[in-house]
Amino acid sequence: MNDTLMGTSLPYAERRRLGLMGRMPHKEESLAQQRRRIHRLVQAMQSPFDQHLLLRQLQEDNPVLFYDLVRHHLPELLPIIYTPVVGEACQRHSDLYLRSHGLYLSWHDRDELDAIFDSVEQEVDVIVISDGERVLGLGDLGIGGMGICIGKLALYSAAGGIDPARTLPLCVDVGTNNPELLEDDSYLGWQAPRIDGETYYHFMDKVVAAIRRRWPQVVLQFEDFAGKHAANLLARYRDELCMFNDDIQGTAAVTSACVLAGLRQAGRALAGTPVLIVGAGAAGCGIAAMLAQLAGGSDTIWLFDQEGVVSRDRAELTPGQRPFVRPPEEADGDLAAVIQRLRPGVLIGVSGQGGLFTRAVLEAMGAVNERPVILPLSNPTRSAEATPQQVWEASGERALIATGSPFAPVPVGESLRSVSQCNNVYVFPGIGLGATAVKARRISDGMLLAAVEAVGAYPLEAGRLLPPIEQVGEVARAVASAVALAARAEGLAEFDGDPAPLIDRAWWRPHYWALR
């Protein structure tokens, strides 16, 4: 570590040795003193976006202090360093660009990939990769997707104990179909329509092959790829290296944990309980597939989109939709009518359509369930299918709820009721930690189901579907252990005994190195 990155914690004698006398105030602060001072500065900023910019600068200048601060104030800072505030940073990525962080791989670099990766000196345990085509609910932001990669890796280190020096954000620049970016003189990416079809997949093949040659044991997480590519890329590479798609599999895992927790509190079993998923894209199909595995079949899982119930007479069906298609005669009716007919115990929203769960829809769920499980998961906040207050008011305060975006506690009766955030941070850091700690060769469905069960095993307060966000570090270690054991059981990793010592060895803690 560069001694100068310690800032005011750099001992006085070391400042003299390095020729830094007079370059900083006299006081030698401890890391705790630095953290308290910077926290006061963050709180004094005028807007969440200003706080985001300050924290991003701190992450660059002093990563030890940044991660120490984030770990001590995770509930407060999680929405600042990631969603929803990161969305604006992605939209303004080119305007805010000051220095390199991570790698940008343009289609024009397709014959230089090995040289680019060879120029990276550090060893890498985790890569988050995006092509920026479907960033959160904001659409095609091109190289603005880099902000998502940086944010996700910050959570890997803050919640999952991955050494930030062994992570790499990677943005694949294959053009953009966003007309505003194509005309914006300040946009720093390749200003041309996106390559597509076999040309696109050939380029991605070259990228993944080059990654595998340089870091054969890396965990590669795909993030914010368009639905038309996400499932294809997952199927294409999941047997080649240790990779997964967080939008499909991470979202499915944490959602499934919420469903199991909610049904347990409602006194119902997943098997036999109809589940209605509104949104039949990559995320919705991923959730459906994982719930079908947990339920022992797909008979009780229904998909619904802008055309209604997904039925077998549609002209175009994706591979992810096909296991869940229904006869045409079962596809009639709007969402409220389908709920009244189907009587689902669980309603999940991954539609990206804000306000889609109208009062009529929510009242229908309350009418057919004593304790409905309702998960409006689309983010950012404006895209949420319903707010927690709307859900609780329409259901007579009986619903069990988790949201995709963070919401403040809601007044219910004479008390404030906390809102569980169905955030992938409960799952993906532990998956990466477990796979890294035992050097797993692949990430299998069995490992993901083990992660679901580990999250679902946590004791919860009544009404909550996930542990408080303060506990995500503990959850990550539990998930890592479950993932490691599942990997060994499937012959995807070799180690003896309890994986806990390996996880402890891999767990990074923010600290300054002792100096000479």
Side-chain angles (χ1 to χ4, degrees), residues 238 249 290 293 443-451 490 492:
R238 67 176 308 178
Q249 296 164 295
M290 186 162 287
Q293 290 184 70
I443 294 177
S444 67
D445 287 343
M447 293 161 69
L448 294 166
L449 291 174
E490 296 184 26
L492 295 173

Side-chain angles (χ1 to χ4, degrees), residues 24-42:
M24 61 189 74
H26 171 78
K27 184 175 182 179
E28 296 179 20
E29 288 186 301
S30 67
L31 180 56
Q33 288 174 317
Q34 284 183 313
R35 180 184 71 243
R36 289 192 291 269
R37 176 169 57 83
I38 295 299
H39 184 232
R40 290 193 296 270
L41 178 59
V42 172

